[in-house]
Amino acid sequence: MSNLANEALLALAAWPGAALLRRSSFAYLLANATHILSVGLVVGAIVPLDLRLLGLFRRRSLAVLAPFLSRCAAVGMACALMTGALLFSVRPVEYAGNPAFLAKLGLIAVGVANALLLRRRAAWRDAASGGPVDAGVRLAAALSLVVWTGAVVAGRWIGFL
């Protein structure tokens, strides 16, 4: 890690919000619990949507499920990113060197990119409005399941390294 990057991480650790989280077990508890709930919202919305796109729950309309679950996942992701940044600020130098944390960030980036690219496709719009689900949409759903499961596993792995 470069000296400049290390200095930036140390400055982040000195931020008053990070100091508060280190001093107050209650503040840390709230941030951590909110992060876990946010991740639960992301995964809890994405998994059923991906499974529906892969052909399960065919009796449930994608025209109803897709907009609702996509919005739930987006809200969960926004909250998870905010609370994750707060938690990162507590020990940024340690986290920046943790392979599990880096894997989690990479998987999140792939998951978000997959979702954003999918939503730009006409095939997604067709499927989300109740039309047929093409092979490309199914492939994106399968990738999504693998990537988000991996991100959760990597997140849990952080504490063991």
Side-chain angles (χ1 to χ4, degrees), residues 66-80:
F68 174 71
L69 292 176
S70 294
R71 286 185 192 107
C72 287
V75 168
M77 180 55 60
C79 292

Side-chain angles (χ1 to χ4, degrees), residues 65-99:
L65 291 176
F68 174 71
L69 292 176
S70 294
R71 286 185 192 107
C72 287
V75 168
M77 180 55 60
C79 292
L81 290 173
M82 288 186 289
T83 55
L86 284 173
L87 294 170
F88 175 78
S89 74
V90 172
R91 295 185 2 221
V93 174
E94 292 86 352
Y95 288 132
N98 185 310

Side-chain angles (χ1 to χ4, degrees), residues 6-7 35 45 54 77 83 89 99 106 115 123 138 144-145:
N6 196 47
E7 286 179 25
H35 186 67
L54 289 169
M77 180 55 60
T83 55
S89 74
R138 282 191 177 86
S144 175
L145 283 172

Side-chain angles (χ1 to χ4, degrees), residues 23-109:
R23 275 193 328 269
S24 170
S25 57
F26 184 70
Y28 187 87
L29 170 72
L30 287 178
N32 196 23
T34 304
H35 186 67
I36 292 167
L37 289 170
S38 299
V39 170
L41 183 56
V42 172
V43 174
I46 288 175
V47 168
L49 178 57
D50 287 342
L51 291 175
R52 174 58 185 88
L53 291 169
L54 289 169
L56 278 73
F57 318 119
R58 289 183 193 262
R59 298 175 111 194
R60 304 294 176 239
S61 167
L62 268 172
V64 172
L65 291 176
F68 174 71
L69 292 176
S70 294
R71 286 185 192 107
C72 287
V75 168
M77 180 55 60
C79 292
L81 290 173
M82 288 186 289
T83 55
L86 284 173
L87 294 170
F88 175 78
S89 74
V90 172
R91 295 185 2 221
V93 174
E94 292 86 352
Y95 288 132
N98 185 310
F101 177 77
L102 299 175
K104 178 182 174 179
L105 288 185
L107 289 164
I108 290 168

